[in-house]
Every structure is written in structure tokens, then in C-alpha cells.
Amino acid sequence: VSPDASLERTRDHMHSVPIQRGHFVLESGLHTDVWLELDALFVDPANLAPHLDALADQLRRHAITAVCGPLVGGALVAQSIATRLNVSFYFTERCAERSSSELFGAAYRLPAAIRPLASRERFAVVDDAISAGSSTRATIGELNTLGAQIVVVGALLLLGNRGERYFTDRSIPVVASAREDLALWEPDHCPLCQAGLAVERR
Ligand SMILES: [Zn+2]
């Protein structure tokens, strides 16, 4: 299967994910006009499998020893990739008491039992979708704190270029099985706020 054919299949599949249009504030604190119901991705594992295969193939060349993803969707992707590549699997959980209301204020932690193991690993950090990359950034921050190496970031769906730019500026390459455009605004520059539309938190 050519990479192009794989990408087309992924796009078809992603397009079957329920899409809401409106005015949303993401975990990062940035605003957007589209929300994808990504939990629907995991209902049909056979349909999702080729996209996980494609992502695993892109991650394989980075010689990783472990995959880590934030709960919930990122961890589901991480476990599937870890199985395919026969490497270790880690996940992070959102840490409500450490999260602040400022932009990119969310904090994620590894469960205590696996924190001591992380420092020896070469990680891929993955998520189901990355837009601004809030939970991916926070997961990388946690792994860095523990002395682990992060060698690549991966997503089933990369939305816009803001998240990708953040990671590549830090010399962490980003791979994805599909890419779509997405508008993201700082709250002060959001045209939907300026139009007076009520905002939904996601
Ligand atoms: Zn807004």
C-alpha cells in the first residue's frame, strides 16, 4: 500500500468522525470553530487498524523503546502502537490540581508505579489528534522531568500546524497518518468572541 493510498483511507475515515461546528475553547485555552468527536474513532477497531499501522510504520524508523500517550485517546493509540512495535507502553493522566487556567496550563503525570521506569526509555509521545498540542506538550514535560528522551511525536490526525511547529522548534519531529487544516485563536484575537458567540469548553 502506498503512503498516499493510506493517507486517503485515513482521511475518509476521519471524515466519518462526527464533526461539530461552533465556538469551542480547547484544553490549551485556545479557541476554534470545529470539534471532532474523536472518541468515535475507537468504536470500530478493524476500521482504525490500518491507520494505526500507518502511524506505527512512521514511528518505527525512530528506534524508540517506548510509546506514551495521555488518557484517554492518546493512551489508546499508544498501547496499540506499542503492541505493533513490540516496545513498552506508558500513559499519563491529567492532573487537575496542578493545572492552571493560563494558556497551556494543563499538567499530566505518569502513574506513580511507572514513573521510576521512564528515565531509561527513548519515547514516542502520541495522541489521537494534535491541534495546539496541550496534552502532548504536558506529557513531554513530565517525561523530561523524569530524565527520559523524547525522539518523536505522532498523531493519527494532525490539525493545523501550531502543535507541529512547537515540537519541531524543539527538534522533535512530528509524524501523522492524516493532516487537516484547523483555525486556532488566542482568546483575545478570536473572531467568534468578537462576534459575541457563546463558547463551549471541550
Ligand atoms: Zn472565542
Side-chain angles (χ1 to χ4, degrees):
V1 177
S2 76
D4 281 354
S6 169
L7 180 62
E8 280 312 307
R9 279 206 317 267
T10 305
R11 288 169 61 95
D12 288 347
H13 183 73
M14 298 299 175
H15 290 160
S16 73
V17 169
I19 293 177
Q20 289 182 37
R21 301 207 174 263
H23 181 201
F24 307 103
V25 56
L26 302 177
E27 182 186 274
S28 57
L30 298 176
H31 292 199
T32 186
D33 57 359
V34 175
W35 177 256
L36 301 176
E37 295 290 356
L38 290 166
D39 293 343
L41 275 179
F42 300 99
V43 170
D44 186 347
N47 194 24
L48 188 57
H51 315 304
L52 291 162
D53 290 340
L55 182 59
D57 283 344
Q58 293 184 75
L59 293 169
R60 191 186 311 273
R61 69 192 65 144
H62 293 275
I64 57 175
T65 64
V67 188
C68 185
L71 281 174
V72 178
L76 295 175
V77 171
Q79 189 172 45
S80 295
I81 297 292
T83 301
R84 281 167 169 76
L85 298 182
N86 194 26
V87 298
S88 300
F89 161 63
Y90 294 71
F91 64 93
T92 55
E93 316 174 82
R94 185 151 186 202
C95 179
E97 69 274 18
R98 294 290 301 275
S99 300
S100 81
S101 59
E102 64 195 63
L103 288 179
F104 295 100
Y108 281 74
R109 293 285 177 268
L110 288 173
I114 61 176
R115 290 190 101 218
L117 307 176
S119 66
R120 65 188 186 194
E121 307 281 15
R122 277 173 61 86
F123 276 100
V125 175
V126 301
D127 210 338
D128 47 5
I130 292 177
S131 48
S134 168
S135 53
T136 312
R137 282 168 61 155
T139 295
I140 288 174
E142 161 77 342
L143 295 173
N144 278 332
T145 298
L146 299 170
Q149 209 182 341
I150 292 89
V151 295
V152 62
V153 163
L156 288 176
L157 183 56
L158 189 61
L159 294 165
N161 61 9
R162 183 158 178 151
E164 180 173 35
R165 207 168 56 224
Y166 176 87
F167 300 117
T168 56
D169 282 352
R170 285 153 186 80
S171 302
I172 304 173
V174 177
V175 300
S177 43
R179 293 167 184 258
E180 299 288 346
D181 291 334
L182 180 76
L184 287 172
W185 301 287
E186 315 278 339
D188 291 348
H189 298 100
C190 174
L192 303 177
C193 284
Q194 286 162 16
L197 292 171
V199 67
E200 293 177 58
R201 182 162 287 279
R202 294 293 167 157

